[in-house]
Amino acid sequence: MSRLDKCIKMNFAMVENEIGIICILSGAAFLCLMGLLLVLIIPVLAAVQCIFVVKMYKKLFYTSLYGETALLYQAFPVSMEETTVSRIFTAGTALLMANVITAVCLIIVINTGLMAGSVADVISGVTGIYFEGFLYGPRLPLIFLELTASMYRQGAFVLMAIVLYHSLPERRRTEWTRVIAFAVGIGVHLAICSIDDLLELLGAEPMSPWVSAACMVLDVVLTVVFYRITVRLLKERYALN
């Protein structure tokens, strides 16, 4: 087994509890579509899921790099490239698993006819998306690839943002700097996620295959860019090759 394989297994073991809870909450949220009253529970489940996603990110991207267990992980004979790839892969795969479980539960609810008609009407009216056409349309494979690329891009972006912040001189890492960095990070993330909406505003056909393909390519390119920036900064901090 290569060092990268061992590093990935170690990272999954580090956050296995968080991943399990995130996946369970993803499935439970869409099973709540079986009734109108149950739908009211979805925001609560989503909020709890966000908390555990943050906990997962903290363990993978902060605690083992700058926190209590940093010295332990620095002692492992792995390069910055290996440790960075393994962390991005772990975070992206965890989010992808949660999204796949969400889609599976949604398909089950639709196929079994368990979704209350009033719930389906309300959700379709709010989102403007008919679930059957979305899940079973010819774009589904491309949508899945786009989703996969976006999950790894998101993990790479969060890791880069944390490393960038901790690369600042200590005197600049004040409370205000943390708040500004968080706001900028959220803004950049939302801007990246809105690329498909921007393309549609510029005249692209809504939900067209080429828009999905363009977003997927962009996510792959950004993931590589974020990865390379992170590796360079970590090498400067730890002076490792």
Side-chain angles (χ1 to χ4, degrees):
M1 182 180 294
S2 69
R3 293 187 307 182
L4 181 58
D5 293 333
K6 292 179 179 178
C7 204
I8 290 173
K9 289 186 67 175
M10 179 185 65
N11 287 333
F12 272 107
M14 185 197 314
V15 293
E16 59 184 356
N17 292 335
E18 285 77 11
I19 293 176
I21 293 172
I22 291 168
C23 290
I24 290 172
L25 291 173
S26 295
F30 274 86
L31 290 178
C32 288
L33 294 175
M34 291 184 294
L36 192 56
L37 292 178
L38 290 175
V39 171
L40 301 177
I41 304 175
I42 292 180
V44 177
L45 296 178
V48 176
Q49 186 182 35
C50 288
I51 292 173
F52 279 94
V53 169
V54 171
K55 287 172 66 70
M56 177 188 71
Y57 279 147
K58 183 179 179 181
K59 282 187 177 181
L60 281 173
F61 299 158
Y62 172 76
T63 306
S64 56
L65 282 176
Y66 304 100
E68 300 86 350
T69 59
L71 290 176
L72 172 64
Y73 285 97
Q74 290 172 35
F76 295 151
V78 293
S79 66
M80 284 297 101
E81 288 86 357
E82 289 170 327
T83 191
T84 302
V85 167
S86 65
R87 291 167 197 273
I88 293 173
F89 179 82
T90 303
T93 302
L95 296 178
L96 182 62
M97 289 166 56
N99 278 274
V100 169
I101 290 174
T102 296
V104 170
C105 290
L106 184 55
I107 291 172
I108 292 173
V109 170
I110 291 174
N111 283 345
T112 56
L114 294 175
M115 185 187 296
S118 55
V119 175
D121 293 340
V122 169
I123 295 176
S124 295
V126 171
T127 63
I129 296 174
Y130 293 98
F131 291 122
E132 290 85 349
F134 182 76
L135 289 172
Y136 301 113
R139 292 182 63 248
L140 182 58
L142 193 55
I143 290 172
F144 179 76
L145 292 175
E146 179 188 355
L147 174 66
T148 301
S150 68
M151 294 298 100
Y152 292 108
R153 184 260 304 156
Q154 178 176 317
F157 176 75
V158 174
L159 176 57
M160 182 197 68
I162 293 173
V163 173
L164 272 173
Y165 175 79
H166 286 277
S167 297
L168 294 173
E170 191 170 350
R171 66 181 183 277
R172 294 186 180 180
R173 281 183 260 147
T174 63
E175 193 65 33
W176 278 109
T177 307
R178 188 178 296 111
V179 172
I180 293 172
F182 180 79
V184 171
I186 292 294
V188 173
H189 174 68
L190 292 176
I192 295 172
C193 293
S194 302
I195 292 296
D196 53 347
D197 296 325
L198 177 61
L199 291 173
E200 291 174 6
L201 286 175
L202 294 175
E205 181 183 348
M207 299 181 67
S208 65
W210 81 265
V211 169
S212 294
C215 291
M216 180 179 63
V217 171
L218 177 64
D219 283 332
V220 171
V221 171
L222 289 177
T223 300
V224 174
V225 172
F226 297 154
Y227 156 78
R228 293 183 66 86
I229 293 173
T230 301
V231 169
R232 180 174 59 81
L233 292 172
L234 288 176
K235 281 185 175 182
E236 291 176 359
R237 174 182 173 87
Y238 295 112
L240 293 176
N241 295 313

